[in-house]
Amino acid sequence: MQLRVNGSLHEVPDRWKKETLLTVLREHLGLVGTKFGCGDGACGACTVHVEGGVVRSCQMRASGAEALEIVTIEGLVGTGADLHPVQQAWLDERVAQCGFCQAGQIMQAVALLKENPAPDEQAIVEHMNRNLCRCGTQARVQKAIQRAARELRGQS
Amino acid sequence: MKTVKAKRRFTRRSLLKGAGVAAAGLTVTYVIGRHFVPILPSLATPDIDGVAWISVGPDGQISMLSPVHEMGQGSSLGLAQIVAEELNVESSEIKVSFPSTRDVPHMRFTTGSQAIALHARPVADAAARLREELRRKAAAVIDVEPAALADAKGGFFAPEKRFLSYSDAVAGEELTLASESLPTGTSYTFDATHENRQVGHDALQIQAREIVMGAPVFAGDILRPNMVYGRTVQAPAPDARILAVSDKGAGDVSGVIQVIIDKPRRLVGVVAETPASLEEALKRLEVQWDRPGRFSAEEVADRVDVDRALAKGDLEHSLVDEDVDLSSDWTVDLRFDQPILHHAAQEPRTAVAEFSQRDGQEVVDIWTGTQDIFVNQKKAAADLGWSTDRVTVHAMRVGGGFGGRVLYDVVREAVLLAQEVKRPVKVTWSRRDEFLADRTRPPSSHRVQIRTDAHGQISDWRHACVSGYVLLTELMAPQPLLSGMRMVMHDFGAARELKAPYSARARRIEMSDVDLPFHVGEWRSLGAAPNNFAIESAMDELARKLKRDPLDLRMQNLGEERARLRNCLTRLKTICDARPGAPGKGRGRGYACGIYQEHSYVAAAFDVAVDHQRRRIRAEHCTVVMDVGLAVSPDQIRAQIEGCAMMAIGQLWKEAAPVGDGGLSAHGFDDYPIPTMSDVPQFEIDIVDQGSTPPAGVGQAPIIALVPALANALRDATGYRALKLPINFDDIPGILDS
């Protein structure tokens, strides 16, 4: 089995075939930015992009992602680049507290801004509401998304 | 009217007054981090407070070991800002590391709210001495008096504007200073005449870049060569005993390395090559438990029923016993009930354990996110029958603490399983395990009775509370010592802020702490949030009864010594008056305040609106005035307030640990909903600038005022008094109206 992750092809041995995409990413490929939070798709810490859309990687079999384009937090920017505008906005708004959910939040936010470059508050809430954060960073997540949206619109 | 005078009582508690404070007291000593020295030269000696934790390398790089664990409370940033202030650099230029048990001698690691209060001054003084030693070294380089060198960014200016960097000052040497040769230095941080450039300014959190880039900072991010995956079956309750275990083919699952069944140690677990093999084998394993202590929600409620306890006589512990008039004509007399709460941190508990040979003996390395690495080290050593020096615990970032991470359980599993299979083992708890084995916030019930004179001055105050234990648990002391402690003292965690800040002619404050059949422990602010919820809800009801402004009534009843809280209330009133709440039915504003541990002062207001269509209440605006003394990291203070406000919303609208099938029954977040982005209010936060007052903690204080402020806003909007948390929307009159 092969997985295409962040633009590179990775060989996955047979014994990892029955794993979720999340555990293959983290434990086999060492892409540990994507987190295990609940294992039933309820918290969003494991959010990655598959074929450009958001997927809860704890709910997807690795075998089901074969031949699909997978992007994780580590692959948001190409080699050589510094930070994705959403990541930079996260720093500018000083969003993170404990930080555990933040990679999933960022992946969810990047997907939103691809679909909707100028989301209003309601659109942001609807898109982000199932990405949990126990520290209570949601207000700053909102601000960071708005900041990144402005930044991205300015670029295009 | 018949007047009943309270009988003056002499309790064991009053004889042992202060014992709880002594038991909770902390001793923190700073000594040199020996293993840190070879990495970067240390300008420190064992005797000097703080200095050993900070070093300047030959290249001028300033490094520090954080004496506090980071779990999002931001105190490691606060300490880095202090060091940066003293050494005239940017906080982002300081390399902050989190030490392992091998890097530093044994010390008490602090929880969030104590971190800044305990460490700010010694760290500032140490860094100031370090700066003055650097000045002396730099002066020697160009043969001038140290006084001739002026501070500059990252070094000093010599006469004629010559710049000497810290790298020039240390001149490539490893410097080890004897304590007596260290010059004294006045810390800038606490000098009112010094214009601070780091302290009091917003700065990027420690590890923020790693977090947004997905770099490894948590225990689960650790990958070791040849590592495998393990987990044990969690007991369904603390008193559960294993009756029988059936393998049911768990050992036959492909990829399973070993099924471990050790009944005496209550250890039933699996180790497998991959996480999916582990899950499949665990599903097959069948454990039969003896569960003598099965319980229902009603039985738990009965055990903490304050009225039932009062009907039997005085509560177990008397905290204040003045000459209170106990006749029935109270101005307000209210009963409050608060539920079992889970921490529900986002990171499931995780540990990696690896055995190896070092210096001819077997040792173990452990990576975990904990609030206390040394406790984990000691317990692992005890489990292995080893000396502690053979156990190294590496402190990883904690993915949400809230009081729930002073624990050993997951480390024990990793250590014992790794010892069995002779390979590094990673244990990550399932979400179900997280809820099942959580050291919950115990439920409590409260009766608050207040009587005032015609002018609103409080004459008699009574607060009776029954709560589960918070600090007097098996984490505090083993049996039978624990039982002895419970005999002679009240649970000073559950009793936190049970004494209201208000003056009264006479007060009676009493509590009973009771044993509950599930795990309990520390939860953000310990008993302070539930106790102050009862106090501030009752004060709000008092103001309504007397038709008084709720802020004025509070200020009237605060003694002179409560000037800092009064100031917070005054500022809150000014802010709120300038922004009148939106008028209309179903809208309201509520206020509350509190003092946390005599060091943090908070006054808060919530504006709420009934959303009839969605049958819910929305917290629209949240205003907080906070005085924590010197505000080292204002942005981190705001972040903690925002987080506490979200938790307050959770406590009012959502959170209660479900009980079913004889025990705690939450399996996932669907069973224990927590606040989400749709709950976010607008924030208006005013941090009182108290530069001359030592800094205090902020992680826990805001929540004590925010929960009652929201309840009081709900009362204002709907007439509904939240007596039992969380509220049931169906109970609120008018919520179904359209």
Side-chain angles (χ1 to χ4, degrees), chain A residues 15-16 18-19 23 26-27 30 32-33 35-38 40 42-43 73-74 82-83 87 90-91 94-103 106 121 124-125 128-129 132-136 138-142, chain B residues 71-72 202-205 208-209 211-214 218 220-221 223 229 254 274-277 342-344 346-348 397-400 402 426 429 431 635 639-640 642-643 646 655 669 674-678 680:
Chain A
R15 66 190 167 94
W16 286 87
K18 61 184 177 182
E19 295 294 318
T23 56
R26 285 183 57 80
E27 308 297 338
V32 295
K35 304 299 186 204
F36 170 86
C38 70
D40 44 34
C43 77
I73 187 83
E74 292 90 346
D82 188 19
L83 291 174
Q87 290 170 312
W90 241 253
L91 296 183
R94 295 178 294 276
V95 174
Q97 287 191 32
C98 87
F100 195 77
C101 71
Q102 299 294 334
I106 290 170
E121 191 184 318
I124 295 174
V125 169
M128 301 299 298
N129 210 35
L132 302 181
C133 171
R134 184 54 157 167
C135 298
Q138 291 90 347
R140 292 180 185 220
V141 169
Q142 266 183 28
Chain B
M71 47 195 161
D202 295 345
L204 193 60
Q205 316 92 298
R209 281 184 78 84
I211 287 165
V212 302
M213 295 172 80
F218 297 100
D221 303 343
L223 301 169
Y229 303 87
S254 115
T274 64
S277 300
H342 283 302
H343 293 88
Q346 227 68 44
E347 178 197 30
R397 193 177 181 91
V398 180
F402 320 119
K426 180 187 284 185
W429 277 10
R431 185 48 59 183
D635 190 58
Q640 290 301 304
E642 290 161 15
M646 293 303 285
E655 293 181 36
F669 285 114
I674 60 174
T676 63
M677 191 179 277
S678 62
V680 170

Side-chain angles (χ1 to χ4, degrees), chain B residues 161-180:
Chain B
K161 287 280 174 194
R162 180 175 172 193
F163 177 71
L164 288 154
S165 70
Y166 291 151
S167 175
D168 297 333
V170 297
E173 283 180 34
E174 182 178 307
L175 297 167
T176 305
L177 302 178
S179 57
E180 57 269 24

Side-chain angles (χ1 to χ4, degrees), chain A residues 97 135-140, chain B residues 72-73 524 600-606 622-628 631 633-649 681-688 697-707:
Chain A
Q97 287 191 32
C135 298
T137 64
Q138 291 90 347
R140 292 180 185 220
Chain B
Q73 85 281 27
R524 200 173 204 168
S600 300
Y601 303 79
V602 59
F606 262 110
C622 176
T623 313
V624 178
V625 181
M626 182 115 202
D627 171 3
V628 289
S633 303
D635 190 58
Q636 292 304 299
I637 296 173
R638 287 192 291 273
Q640 290 301 304
I641 291 169
E642 290 161 15
C644 283
M646 293 303 285
M647 281 196 169
I649 290 166
Q682 292 284 321
F683 287 104
E684 191 166 354
I685 294 167
D686 175 28
I687 298 166
V688 178
V698 72
Q700 309 186 72
I703 201 168
I704 75 169
L706 283 159
V707 183

Side-chain angles (χ1 to χ4, degrees), chain A residues 1-154:
Chain A
M1 185 173 77
Q2 286 187 324
L3 287 182
R4 181 174 290 279
V5 186
N6 301 332
S8 306
L9 264 184
H10 299 269
E11 199 64 43
V12 180
D14 279 353
R15 66 190 167 94
W16 286 87
K17 260 186 168 169
K18 61 184 177 182
E19 295 294 318
T20 61
L21 176 58
L22 172 65
T23 56
V24 173
L25 291 173
R26 285 183 57 80
E27 308 297 338
H28 179 63
L29 300 178
L31 297 167
V32 295
T34 311
K35 304 299 186 204
F36 170 86
C38 70
D40 44 34
C43 77
C46 66
T47 304
V48 298
H49 296 174
V50 177
E51 294 289 301
V54 285
V55 160
R56 299 277 160 107
S57 63
C58 76
Q59 297 296 294
M60 187 177 205
R61 291 265 155 230
S63 52
E66 203 169 1
L68 304 179
E69 189 69 46
I70 301 156
V71 177
T72 70
I73 187 83
E74 292 90 346
L76 261 191
V77 286
T79 43
D82 188 19
L83 291 174
H84 187 280
V86 173
Q87 290 170 312
Q88 185 58 50
W90 241 253
L91 296 183
D92 293 339
E93 294 293 342
R94 295 178 294 276
V95 174
Q97 287 191 32
C98 87
F100 195 77
C101 71
Q102 299 294 334
Q105 304 268 6
I106 290 170
M107 296 307 284
Q108 188 80 15
V110 169
L112 168 68
L113 296 179
K114 265 192 209 157
E115 259 173 47
N116 181 355
D120 60 12
E121 191 184 318
Q122 195 188 340
I124 295 174
V125 169
E126 276 171 18
H127 186 84
M128 301 299 298
N129 210 35
R130 280 180 58 77
N131 279 67
L132 302 181
C133 171
R134 184 54 157 167
C135 298
T137 64
Q138 291 90 347
R140 292 180 185 220
V141 169
Q142 266 183 28
K143 280 193 204 164
I145 292 172
Q146 282 154 351
R147 179 191 279 261
R150 286 195 301 273
E151 177 69 21
L152 283 161
R153 287 200 302 273

